[in-house]
Every structure is written in structure tokens, then in C-alpha cells.
Amino acid sequence: MEETNLDGVENMVTENHKTLKDKKHSWGKLRRVDSLNLEAGRLSFSHSHQSNVDWKLTLRLALQSLGVVYGDIGTSPLYVFASTFTDGIKHNEDIFGVLSLIIYTIILIPLIKYVFIVLWANDHGDGGTFAMYSLISKHARVSFIPNDEPGDQELSNYKLERPNSTSKRASKIKHKLENSKNWKIVLFLFTILGTSMLIGDGVLTPCISVLSAVSGIKSLGQEAVVGVSVAILVILFYVQRFGTDKVGYTFAPIVCVWFSFIAGIGLYNLNAYGWGVLRAFNPFYVVRYFSRNGMKAWISLGGVVLCITGTEAMFADLGHFNVRAIQAKLPNKWKISQISFSGIVLPSLLMAYSGQAAYLTKFPKHVNDTFYKSVPDAIYWPTFVVAVSAAIIASQALISGAFSIVSQSLSLGCFPRVKVVHTSAEYEGQVYIPEINYTLMIACVVVVIGFKTTTNIGNAYGIAVVAVMIITTCMLALIMLLIWKTNIFLVVVFFLVFICIEMVYFSSVLYKFVQGGYLPLALAFVLMIVMGVWHYVHKERYMFELNNKVSPETIRELVSKPEINRIPGIGLLYSELVQGIPPIFTNFLANIPSLHEVIVFVSIKSFPVSKIAMEERFLFRQVEPKDFRIFRCITRLGYNDEIGEPHEFEKQLLHHLKEFIRIEHFILETSTIQQDTPGSPEMVIKDNIEVRRSTSSAVFVEESLPQGNIHPRISSASSNNAIKSSNDISSTIISVPIQGVEEEIEFIQKQMDNGVVYLLGEVDVAAAPNSSLFKRVVVNHAYGFLRKNFRQMEKVIKIPTSKLIKVGMTYEL
């Protein structure tokens, strides 16, 4: 029986060693005292909300997407013609030209570009500019914070195909991005600019949508319209607390009714005033429109572009749903039944705009209020009620998008700490951020009161819409080249076609800069400063800790001092540093000369992926000397993961710590048995490697190994996976005697029962005395203001005050 046990153990360990040996990384280089690379686990499955979603859920999400995503683009018929013909209709054929522009703008940008191309550039089911940035960062090291390790690539959600020798173009682009600081800065600035513009869009969308719908009661006066609009906006932002799931279900039926109304009214107008406007499907009318009106036609594009407002929300809100829910393309062999944009939104919009154009051919003077004037009297008030409801829903698209992209930027260190509430237990991408919600509400109320009319807001609206589209086009072209490795000819065609269209529109909306176009640029400028300052100081602080981390020799010296008392319990010391022990530890011992029996340095490391499996979340190593029972732990989180309640986090962390100790002992005991067994196969640990032994435990110490031979350490996650995958030897693994491991685990459990205390460094940052004036302003004043007015670390990770010990320290950057 013992021989069988040894054979099974021997095969498992040898196979595990072979797997690790096959890695391309040099184990000698990875054998750093401050590295956990050797502990990274590997799992064969993937967790993301892009795939493995059953079709019942997809259909349900498609229904929700109507209520959240398409409200904005669906309410555009309320104001597009009025915003385009600001000086009235001079020639009836101009109606055909504008309608033709609207038709092909909707077909080219929302349908072809976004629904069928951009939505697939998602990061494990999450969309938006930050999701694209995180996708690029997984294929090229473009991050400013050097916390990447080779072991990170073993994450199931993070391990993606990288450019190889067979793709010279992708390799050259990757090399250029990684070795050029300027290109990294440009890419980062593009990302935060797109994010800022989309948040700015989230301010303007509710204003123009609600004002345009409420304008149906103009007979009561403009002040009444503004007052009602403000009241509606306040209610809208209040209900966000209930989450996208409930808001989407509540709003989806209303949006379905709205699309039925605008399609029906469009068909009525086509039948009543003539089907001749359908000639506008001939793009020749666009040419004639520009040749006849020249400069005025170019200026009018600022109104035409409003027909695609909310398009970027399809991508930004992807994390709330999935690609198929928005694209709604069921995978049968005929590839039909397109439910969402392709089957409902697009036909309804084309009928609505065509019907309004038909009405304007008979009543061109009604262009300032085209929608309500074209509604039959019998259904005017029902239409008004549905229009107001749909306008409220239109605002939801960009509000949800703002929540999503702020949540993503938080995890990448690009936004001050705010509270993120996950509102759906079934779908992790649905989030609510109270601070962002109420900031948007205040901004919307100010804009409505200040601008008063949809025409004035429309001048500002277009810049935010088109700017985000241009940034998406540029980043998508880079993804095509670097990641998708698309044929260069197709990339050039895609880029030239869409960048030309969008730049023409952008030049037009910039013409109205002084008439309100400055507003989104001002909002974006403020947000870019906030995000840039926060990320810059976050990076500088990390580099300071990295350059001043505590050495193992210093740890031994500090802990060995007789004045340092060991007290019962477990201490969790939080740090953002993932590659060593932070300098705050020495300051902690200087102020409080006591140390818990078990110390765990917890580093929360954010990854540019949506979600990380629990099996892969915790990485451990033990700091020498082992008798001090000091461990380092990296807690790896995706940008849709949350730490959870303290007691749950403690249970998870300590469970994985005990598993780590058990596996470490198991590997060493197995290796010792193999060394002592005559005629055994090739040893996992060579004869010239010294393994320390102890009667109480045999914890592997990484520093004690020679440079050329590294023991294949594994995490509790990867160990469990390996054990579970070998069903034929699972029983024999358990039966192997593991010397001292149970005593060690019992000791850990006893200290857990004594209590867990959180040790948090209250780090202030200040610019060094010889710093430039600019750096002093950024670090001392701008960052200081943001840090004081946003959430502190203990609130973000939900540390109970009764278990919290803070120690202050100042870093001079």
C-alpha cells in the first residue's frame, strides 16, 4: 500500500514539475525574495460574462437592453429635425438630403461600426474606452505601474494570445508601445479623454431628452417646462439606487411601446403625406444637398449627428448585459431573429424619420416642433405621456455607462476611491455608484436651468458624442492590428471610412463651440485633471514603496529584537505593494513594538479583467525565518470583483493560507521520501539542493535554494486543481504522512479564534523639497484635496473600526 502511495505521489509531483519546467520563464530570474511568480496557479476554465450565458438569460438581457441602452437613440426623433433646420427649411428638397444623411449615418455608425464590429472589442464582456485600454494592456505592457509578473499570465481570464514571431506587424507595434513613453502617455490620455467625454455625455443626455419630451406642454410657458424637467431628473437619479436590473425591467415595456408609437406614427405620416420621401435612400440626395447649400449644409451636420446619440452607450453598457443581448443575434443556421437593434430599433427609427420628413414636405414651417406637430390629434396625449417616459429612459443609457466606466477606471488606479454597489446577484457588471449618481444629478439640474432649451443644449451635445466615437475608432484600429491581427487592407479601409465620417461631423459641431459646445470640453477637462492627478500620484507612490521596500535582513533584525512582543491573534497589514514588504512596516514597529503571532501582508492587486475565479484569487509565500510566521499574500481582483464583508474575506484568506501550508508541507515531505527511497525515479529536487528540516514543520523557504535550481512552488489553488484532476491517486495523496502540518494549521486556527486585526498605514504624500512648482501643486494640493474629499481605504475595503489600527507615515515623492 505504501508503495502505491509513493508511486501516485511521485507521478503527480513529477508531472507538476515537468509542467512548470516547460514554461518559457527562467526560474533563476524568478527566484526573487520579493516574488510570488512561482506560486501562480493555472486553471483550464474561464469565468466571464461574455460566454456561457444561456439563451433564456440572453433574451431577458435583450429585453433589459431596450430599457437601458436604446432609450437615448430612440428618443432622437424628438429633436433632430429641429436641431438641423435651425433657420427653417429653404428648399423642400433639403428635406430629402437631410433624411438621406440620417439614414446612412444610422446604418454606418450604430449598425455597421458598433453592433457588428466594436462590440466584439470587449474585455471579457465589458465595454467602453477603459475596457479597450485594459484589453490592449494585456497584450502590451503599457501600464505606468510596474506590478506585472509572469505568473499573472496564468490567470484563466488574463491569459490571452500574445504577438509572436509569425506576426511581425503585431510584434513591432507591441515593441513600439512598450518602449515608447510618449506612446504610453498618448494611449492613456486618449483613454481618460474618452472616459471623460462619455461621463460628460451622461450629463447632457438626460437634459436634452427630458426637455425635448416635456416641450409638448409649451403652452404653459418655458419656465414650467424647465421646472417639470428638473423634477423628472431628480426622480430619475433617485431610482438609480435600485439598480440596472430593476430599472431595466421597469423601463423596457415603456421603450417597447415607444418604438411602436414612433414606428406607427411614421407609417401614418408616410401614408397620409406621401411615400415619395423614401427616395432619400438614394445617397445622391446628399450630394445635391451639399452642392445647393454649401457652408450651411456643413453647419447643419451638427444637428444630423444627434440622430446617433447614445450609440456609445451600447458599448459602455456592455458590462450590464452581453454582446448577444445588445446585438440579439440568435445562433441558428439561418442567423435570423435579430431582436434588439437590428430587428426593433433600426426599423422603428427609419420609419419615424421618414414619416417626419413626409410631414415636413407638406408643413415645412412646423420644423421647430416636428415630432409633436406630426402626431395625430387622437393620440397626442398618450404619445406625450409615452414620450416623457421614454425620455426618462433615454437618460438611463449614459447614466449606466458612466457607472460602468468609473468602476473600471477605479480598479486601474485612475479615479479617486468611491463606493461601488453591485446591484445584481446574477450579473456582476451591473453597478451603482452613489457619488457619481448625485454628482450627475446636480450637474444636470444646473445645465437645464442654465440652457433652458434643447437647441442650446444640442449645440453642446454633439461634441461629446462625436469625440468619443473618434477615440473608439482609433483604439479599435490599434486592437485590430495588435490583437486581432486583421488584414492591413481591411484595417485601413475601416479606419479611413469611419474617421473621415466622424471628423466631418466633429468639425461641424466645433463650429458651435461658443454657443454651448464649450460645456462638454470643460467637463472633460476637469475630469481629465482629476483622473490624471490621481493616477500620477498613485504611480509615484507605488514607485516610492517599490524603491524603499523592506529587505528580508531588516525583517529578521526587527522581529528578533527583544522589545518586540508577540501577541495572540492574526494581523492583516494592507499594502498596495505587490513585490515586497512596504516601508510602513518599520514605522509600525517603531510606534507599536508588538506583533501578532501570525502576520499576513495583504496586497490587493487589480487586474484589467472583469472577474477572477476564487480558486485563483489568493497567492501566498512565507517570509524567512519561518518561525516568525510572517506571510505575504496577493489578493487578485478583477474590476468587477468586490472584496465582500470582512468576516467573509477573513474566512476565504485564512482558508487559502491553511491550504498553502498543507501543500507546502506535502511537497517537501514527498520530496524527502523520494530522496530516501532507493531506485526512485528522477528527483523533483536535485541532490545538490539543501532542504531545511524541522521536527515541527518543514516549510519551504525560497531564499535558501541555490540560484540554478528552484523548487516548483505552487499556490493552494493550483495544488488543489492538480490533486482534483488526478482521481486515481487522490486517496493515496491524503494517506501520505505530512510531518507537523496539522500542528501548524491548528496554530493558525487558534490565532484566528483569538481574533483578526487590520493594520492599515495612513500614508500621506508630499512633494520632495527640491521638486518643481508643478509637482508641488499636483502632489501637495490637487491630490491632497481629492484624497480628503473621497473615500478612505478602510471604507472601500469595509474594515470595521473595532478591528482597525492605523499608523501614519509621510512619503516624500
Side-chain angles (χ1 to χ4, degrees):
M1 181 65 180
E2 184 178 354
E3 184 178 354
T4 304
N5 291 351
L6 290 177
D7 288 342
V9 171
E10 181 181 282
N11 291 337
M12 189 200 75
V13 176
T14 305
E15 181 181 354
N16 188 32
H17 178 59
K18 182 179 178 182
T19 302
L20 295 170
K21 188 177 180 182
D22 287 341
K23 290 185 178 182
K24 296 182 180 179
H25 310 305
S26 168
W27 289 111
K29 293 180 180 179
L30 295 181
R31 192 196 60 82
R32 299 197 313 269
V33 173
D34 60 354
S35 172
L36 282 85
N37 294 335
L38 304 179
E39 301 164 9
R42 174 184 294 172
L43 295 180
S44 60
F45 53 86
S46 176
H47 297 262
S48 78
H49 54 264
Q50 174 182 329
S51 57
N52 300 326
V53 179
D54 63 50
W55 286 110
K56 289 183 179 179
L57 178 57
T58 293
L59 290 172
R60 196 182 77 182
L61 293 173
L63 177 64
Q64 286 188 31
S65 72
L66 281 175
V68 175
V69 176
Y70 294 118
D72 191 4
I73 195 171
T75 54
S76 296
L78 287 168
Y79 49 79
V80 168
F81 278 109
S83 300
T84 303
F85 293 110
T86 54
D87 297 327
I89 300 173
K90 308 300 182 185
H91 195 288
N92 253 24
E93 198 169 298
D94 290 347
I95 299 171
F96 292 83
V98 169
L99 178 60
S100 188
L101 279 168
I102 292 171
I103 290 170
Y104 286 102
T105 300
I106 294 175
I107 291 174
L108 286 172
I109 296 181
L111 181 63
I112 295 177
K113 178 186 169 183
Y114 277 86
V115 173
F116 290 109
I117 302 176
V118 173
L119 291 186
W120 296 108
N122 64 83
D123 178 36
H124 284 277
D126 285 275
T129 49
F130 256 107
M132 297 177 81
Y133 178 77
S134 70
L135 187 62
I136 293 169
S137 70
K138 286 185 285 189
H139 291 77
R141 296 185 184 92
V142 296
S143 174
F144 289 102
I145 299 178
N147 63 350
D148 291 333
E149 296 182 327
D152 295 342
Q153 307 307 321
E154 301 303 324
L155 280 170
S156 56
N157 276 6
Y158 195 71
K159 187 178 180 183
L160 298 178
E161 181 185 0
R162 288 181 173 270
N164 51 49
S165 57
T166 61
S167 179
K168 294 182 179 179
R169 185 186 70 226
S171 297
K172 288 179 179 178
I173 295 172
K174 176 177 180 288
H175 182 267
K176 186 70 174 177
L177 286 173
E178 291 182 342
N179 293 279
S180 173
K181 185 177 180 180
N182 291 335
W183 278 111
K184 288 182 180 180
I185 293 174
V186 168
L187 185 60
F188 178 74
L189 290 177
F190 254 64
T191 302
I192 64 173
L193 176 61
T195 302
S196 302
M197 282 291 185
L198 192 60
I199 296 174
D201 201 359
V203 173
L204 297 175
T205 296
C207 301
I208 194 170
S209 300
V210 173
L211 266 177
S212 60
V214 179
S215 63
I217 56 170
K218 279 183 179 178
S219 57
L220 299 180
Q222 189 61 37
E223 293 301 322
V225 171
V226 171
V228 172
S229 299
V230 168
I232 290 173
L233 288 171
V234 170
I235 294 171
L236 171 66
F237 283 101
Y238 177 77
V239 300
Q240 295 301 314
R241 60 192 300 181
F242 300 111
T244 305
D245 193 42
K246 294 182 178 63
V247 173
Y249 266 136
T250 303
F251 287 165
I254 301 174
V255 174
C256 290
V257 173
W258 169 251
F259 280 118
S260 301
F261 265 65
I262 62 173
I265 293 169
L267 288 174
Y268 169 83
N269 288 324
L270 284 170
N271 187 61
Y273 305 109
W275 296 82
V277 292
L278 296 183
R279 288 177 292 170
F281 277 89
N282 182 352
F284 180 68
Y285 283 97
V286 174
V287 177
R288 294 182 62 177
Y289 176 66
F290 275 92
S291 62
R292 184 169 52 252
N293 295 282
M295 181 75 169
K296 290 183 178 179
W298 170 72
I299 295 173
S300 70
L301 290 176
V304 173
V305 76
L306 298 182
C307 72
I308 54 173
T309 57
T311 300
E312 188 68 26
M314 285 191 293
F315 191 38
D317 286 335
L318 192 58
H320 291 248
F321 307 103
N322 62 17
V323 174
R324 290 196 182 100
I326 289 178
Q327 197 183 47
K329 193 171 183 180
L330 299 180
N332 55 40
K333 59 184 179 181
W334 298 284
K335 295 187 178 180
I336 57 175
S337 303
Q338 296 187 353
I339 301 172
S340 199
F341 187 91
S342 313
I344 298 176
V345 179
L346 180 63
S348 300
L349 289 175
L350 294 182
M351 285 186 279
Y353 286 117
S354 298
Q356 288 186 30
Y359 177 83
L360 289 175
T361 58
K362 303 298 183 182
F363 305 99
K365 293 184 179 179
H366 292 172
V367 69
N368 289 330
D369 194 17
T370 307
F371 178 79
Y372 282 112
K373 293 290 185 182
S374 66
V375 175
D377 293 337
I379 59 170
Y380 182 87
W381 289 111
T383 302
F384 171 76
V385 173
V386 175
V388 172
S389 303
I392 296 172
I393 298 160
S395 310
Q396 183 63 44
L398 269 301
I399 296 172
S400 300
F403 294 158
S404 295
I405 58 178
V406 169
S407 176
Q408 295 168 17
S409 61
L410 271 172
S411 64
L412 299 178
C414 298
F415 203 87
R417 300 185 187 105
V418 291
K419 182 180 180 180
V420 178
V421 180
H422 290 256
T423 58
S424 174
E426 296 182 50
Y427 215 69
E428 68 270 8
Q430 298 184 359
V431 296
Y432 163 70
I433 303 176
E435 292 94 333
I436 299 300
N437 183 61
Y438 293 114
T439 301
L440 290 176
M441 183 187 74
I442 294 170
C444 287
V445 170
V446 171
V447 169
V448 168
I449 294 174
F451 282 76
K452 297 186 183 299
T453 67
T454 57
T455 303
N456 294 333
I457 298 176
N459 295 334
Y461 197 19
I463 292 180
V465 171
V466 185
V468 177
M469 292 180 180
I470 292 173
I471 291 170
T472 299
T473 299
C474 295
M475 295 185 73
L476 183 60
L478 180 59
I479 288 173
M480 286 178 166
L481 294 169
L482 177 66
I483 303 171
W484 295 351
K485 302 180 181 66
T486 308
N487 183 283
I488 189 67
F489 174 76
L490 296 178
V491 176
V492 170
V493 170
F494 166 82
F495 182 77
L496 290 179
V497 168
F498 288 106
I499 203 68
C500 288
I501 294 171
E502 289 160 0
M503 288 304 295
V504 169
Y505 276 122
F506 192 62
S507 64
S508 176
V509 294
L510 281 178
Y511 180 80
K512 299 179 180 180
F513 178 82
V514 296
Q515 299 170 317
Y518 59 85
L519 181 61
L521 295 178
L523 291 172
F525 180 71
V526 171
L527 286 168
M528 283 187 70
I529 289 177
V530 170
M531 298 173 76
V533 166
W534 188 268
H535 187 69
Y536 170 74
V537 179
H538 179 74
K539 182 204 72 169
E540 291 294 312
R541 173 179 165 175
Y542 188 90
M543 294 302 298
F544 179 90
E545 291 188 333
L546 187 64
N547 295 329
N548 294 275
K549 59 189 176 184
V550 183
S551 66
E553 292 75 17
T554 305
I555 292 290
R556 296 189 195 100
E557 182 182 342
L558 288 171
V559 180
S560 301
K561 289 181 178 180
E563 60 267 24
I564 301 298
N565 300 315
R566 301 304 294 265
I567 57 178
I570 297 177
L572 303 181
L573 198 153
Y574 277 88
S575 168
E576 294 181 358
L577 186 66
V578 300
Q579 295 176 342
I581 296 173
I584 191 71
F585 181 64
T586 58
N587 199 48
F588 174 82
L589 288 181
N591 287 275
I592 307 175
S594 299
L595 208 58
H596 291 83
E597 290 287 356
V598 178
I599 289 290
V600 182
F601 292 94
V602 181
S603 301
I604 298 176
K605 181 176 180 179
S606 296
F607 279 79
V609 297
S610 171
K611 202 168 182 66
I612 292 176
M614 182 59 69
E615 295 87 346
E616 301 175 311
R617 186 167 294 181
F618 296 96
L619 297 180
F620 288 92
R621 74 175 297 278
Q622 188 164 13
V623 178
E624 194 178 359
K626 57 183 176 57
D627 294 335
F628 291 161
R629 293 187 176 90
I630 299 177
F631 301 89
R632 285 179 46 225
C633 170
I634 293 180
T635 304
R636 308 190 288 190
L637 300 176
Y639 50 69
N640 277 330
D641 285 321
E642 58 180 351
I643 297 176
E645 295 300 322
H647 65 279
E648 286 296 326
F649 177 73
E650 292 167 12
K651 287 174 58 178
Q652 293 167 4
L653 185 145
L654 294 172
H655 168 74
H656 285 84
L657 173 59
K658 288 187 281 189
E659 287 301 309
F660 166 77
I661 293 172
R662 180 177 285 110
I663 299 303
E664 286 282 291
H665 280 71
F666 169 73
I667 295 294
L668 282 174
E669 292 292 337
T670 302
S671 303
T672 304
I673 293 171
Q674 286 181 324
Q675 285 180 316
D676 294 339
T677 304
S680 63
E682 180 183 0
M683 300 299 175
V684 176
I685 299 183
K686 305 296 182 182
D687 294 336
N688 61 341
I689 294 182
E690 176 186 358
V691 180
R692 301 188 178 187
R693 301 192 188 188
S694 171
T695 56
S696 61
S697 62
V699 179
F700 175 75
V701 181
E702 191 173 2
E703 296 91 325
S704 65
L705 297 181
Q707 178 72 20
N709 298 280
I710 302 304
H711 186 65
R713 298 184 65 193
I714 53 179
S715 68
S716 60
S718 58
S719 305
N720 289 336
N721 196 51
I723 292 173
K724 289 176 183 177
S725 65
S726 304
N727 295 327
D728 57 330
I729 63 170
S730 59
S731 60
T732 64
I733 289 174
I734 297 172
S735 65
V736 173
I738 303 177
Q739 185 180 17
V741 65
E742 292 304 325
E743 291 88 341
E744 193 72 16
I745 291 175
E746 286 177 10
F747 182 84
I748 297 292
Q749 183 60 49
K750 180 181 177 182
Q751 299 310 317
M752 182 179 177
D753 295 338
N754 287 331
V756 177
V757 176
Y758 295 82
L759 313 173
L760 191 64
E762 188 76 7
V763 176
D764 286 327
V765 295
N770 59 346
S771 300
S772 65
L773 176 63
F774 176 76
K775 185 173 182 178
R776 291 201 299 271
V777 170
V778 169
V779 176
N780 297 343
H781 301 289
Y783 179 79
F785 174 81
L786 293 175
R787 189 169 176 272
K788 289 176 183 177
N789 289 278
F790 283 86
R791 288 181 176 264
Q792 300 300 312
M793 183 65 173
E794 65 269 20
K795 292 184 179 179
V796 175
I797 56 182
K798 303 176 183 178
I799 298 177
T801 55
S802 59
K803 293 185 175 183
L804 177 63
I805 298 177
K806 284 186 179 182
V807 176
M809 186 175 182
T810 300
Y811 293 167
E812 287 192 352
L813 306 180

